[in-house]
Amino acid sequence: MTKEKIYLSSPHMGGEEIKFVNEAFEANWISPVGPNINAFEEELATYNGTKYCAALSSGTAAIHLALILLNVNPGDEVICSSFTFSGSCNPIRYQQAIPVFVDSETDSWNMDPVLLEKAIKDRIAKGKKPKAIIIVHLYGMPAKMNEINAVAKQYDIPVIEDAAEGLGSSYFGKKLGTMSDMGIYSFNGNKIITTSGGGALVSENKDWIAKAKFLATQARDAAPHYEHTHIGYNYRLSNISAGIGRGQLRVLDERVRQRRNVFDFYKKELAGIKGIVFQSEFEGAYANRWLTTILIDPAQTGFDREKLRLTLEKENIESRPLWKPMHMQPVFQEYPSYTSGVSEKLFETGLCLPSGSNLTAQQLSGIVEIIKNT
Ligand SMILES: *Cc1c(COP(=O)(O)O)cnc(C)c1O
């Protein structure tokens, strides 16, 4: 008999989700409009301390709409963190714009503000000022937003925060996704909370969010028939999914505490192994610890991250290398990048461990034992 699979991060319902879904069934709001959508938007904005919110079909759709709202057009350049998941930068290409990748710094693993300024200066010198900056808060760890916003302001370039992995984290008390022009979240099945699939765009700018909702519902103008002056998208969240989201929001802070406990457990139990390093919170950072990530120095541990990954896989336990930087991806290699070696090194040595809020103490102890015996 094979052992039950342990996933990297699996959905964890709180109990109230089904109540909101049932309400949708009873009222027959089985649709991309309905009361759960409006309530979910309000509740999410309130949770994050921001003003306006559009519930969407995915985090990727949210980034796409953010780029459209910022007038990113074919041939424009958009700066993006290189160390991320492709969902951050694919929408740049949907707009036929050019991604310009910027490497990470070592505390947060997120975009290096010094390298960002260097990239902006160089792009301007080459004749093109970037139209937008996409900053990713990877693994729920805040990017150095104060420094990044200062650079962005100096050159007057709008910032989109990709907080797909960062819901529930904060930086100097402010929730990730609310510290710049626009923020996006993802509610995919593997994220800290899920709507089965979904996303959101938030902003303090009322007009942007109104326009996002308009574009996300096929850009239908006010008329009894279907009248169109814009190209539209089918990017709205369904009222059923929003019901799941409302239930999930009610347990979000608990999920953050649980994931932080998972991180603390690994850190404490593996403290004796020289050559395994955990990512620390730096000044101002409060991380949701969406995934617990470790860096492995094979010279000290006697095994590299691939050996450990395969060892865990044999026991039906899922682990995963850190994100492969976008400037190394075949599909993005041709685009400009400003690199320092930091993200390449992270990719080479890093591993994500199972981090779900629903892992049992027994499962966690089992994983730790396997790592100790590798
Ligand atoms: C998951 C994710 C996305 C995309 O979100 P979807 O809802 O899956 O489209 C974008 N950026 C990052 C960093 C992510 O982890």
Side-chain angles (χ1 to χ4, degrees):
M1 210 180 80
T2 55
K3 284 187 197 154
E4 193 191 344
K5 178 151 181 162
I6 297 179
Y7 291 97
L8 206 56
S9 174
S10 67
H12 188 180
M13 294 298 108
E16 286 201 64
E17 295 83 2
I18 196 73
K19 186 188 90 186
F20 295 112
V21 170
N22 280 335
E23 280 175 17
F25 270 73
E26 278 154 23
N28 204 29
W29 283 111
I30 317 291
S31 149
V33 290
N36 278 335
I37 298 176
N38 303 333
F40 182 53
E41 288 173 339
E42 271 174 33
E43 288 161 7
L44 186 64
T46 302
Y47 176 87
N48 282 311
T50 183
K51 285 212 179 87
Y52 305 104
C53 174
L56 301 167
S57 54
S58 72
T60 308
I63 296 174
H64 189 196
L65 291 179
L67 294 175
I68 294 170
L69 292 168
L70 294 175
N71 266 321
V72 171
N73 291 312
D76 286 343
E77 293 191 354
V78 175
I79 290 182
C80 184
S81 305
S82 184
F83 191 45
T84 189
F85 166 62
S86 66
S88 304
C89 54
N90 279 334
I92 300 172
R93 292 299 300 143
Y94 301 167
Q95 288 305 100
Q96 295 171 54
I98 311 296
V100 174
F101 296 110
V102 173
D103 213 327
S104 301
E105 50 91 26
T106 50
D107 289 338
S108 66
W109 300 357
N110 293 312
M111 193 187 286
D112 180 344
V114 177
L115 209 50
L116 169 64
E117 177 158 25
K118 197 177 145 201
I120 294 172
K121 278 185 176 159
D122 192 53
R123 297 327 292 171
I124 292 173
K126 288 191 163 74
K128 216 173 234 174
K129 185 171 137 182
K131 209 72 177 278
I133 302 168
I134 301 173
I135 293 291
V136 185
H137 302 293
L138 216 58
Y139 301 116
M141 190 60 78
K144 301 254 175 94
M145 287 312 293
N146 295 342
E147 289 89 337
I148 283 163
N149 281 333
V151 173
K153 210 157 260 138
Q154 191 187 333
Y155 295 90
D156 195 24
I157 304 173
V159 174
I160 302 162
E161 284 174 80
D162 177 347
E165 302 178 2
L167 184 61
S169 301
S170 58
Y171 191 47
F172 290 105
K174 283 202 180 124
K175 290 285 199 287
L176 302 191
T178 67
M179 285 176 279
S180 54
D181 296 280
M182 279 180 259
I184 77 96
Y185 304 101
S186 166
F187 310 110
N188 208 328
N190 60 352
K191 300 288 155 71
I192 191 156
I193 62 168
T194 181
T195 59
S196 72
L201 179 69
V202 296
S203 179
E204 302 275 303
N205 184 321
K206 192 177 181 178
D207 295 340
W208 277 346
I209 296 302
K211 187 157 182 209
K213 289 180 187 177
F214 165 75
L215 293 171
T217 46
Q218 305 288 21
R220 192 181 161 198
D221 294 330
H225 59 276
Y226 276 70
E227 178 81 11
H228 299 284
T229 51
H230 291 75
I231 295 293
Y233 301 86
N234 185 0
Y235 276 174
R236 226 27 186 143
L237 188 68
S238 95
N239 191 57
I240 303 293
S241 300
I244 302 174
R246 294 184 71 193
Q248 287 273 275
L249 268 183
R250 281 154 176 74
V251 291
L252 173 55
D253 283 335
E254 194 184 329
R255 297 291 175 264
V256 172
R257 278 195 298 278
Q258 288 163 324
R259 296 227 181 207
R260 287 176 64 88
N261 286 341
V262 168
F263 172 87
D264 290 342
F265 179 80
Y266 281 125
K267 190 166 180 209
K268 185 165 139 274
E269 293 295 317
L270 299 174
I273 307 182
K274 277 211 177 65
I276 290 187
V277 177
F278 289 82
Q279 192 182 24
S280 305
E281 286 173 324
F282 44 91
E283 199 196 347
Y286 178 81
N288 65 9
R289 298 293 185 187
W290 171 57
L291 295 182
T292 293
T293 53
I294 55 173
L295 301 180
I296 300 171
D297 175 5
Q300 294 190 71
T301 55
F303 57 85
D304 62 9
R305 70 122 157 92
E306 198 51 16
K307 167 111 192 282
L308 180 56
R309 191 186 71 76
L310 292 169
T311 305
L312 290 165
E313 191 175 73
K314 255 190 229 129
E315 303 290 331
N316 215 11
I317 297 166
E318 184 183 32
S319 66
R320 190 181 295 154
L322 300 192
W323 297 119
K324 180 174 178 176
M326 293 303 116
H327 71 267
M328 296 171 74
Q329 297 286 357
V331 71
F332 292 122
Q333 250 164 6
E334 67 185 278
Y335 300 111
S337 61
Y338 295 82
T339 60
S340 57
V342 171
S343 62
E344 291 188 26
K345 181 90 182 158
L346 290 167
F347 172 59
E348 206 179 281
T349 60
L351 194 70
C352 305
L353 299 176
S355 308
S357 45
N358 45 8
L359 289 170
T360 64
Q362 200 184 354
Q363 286 173 320
L364 284 167
S365 308
I367 296 165
V368 160
E369 277 318 300
I370 293 165
I371 298 173
K372 282 181 179 167
N373 292 324
T374 298

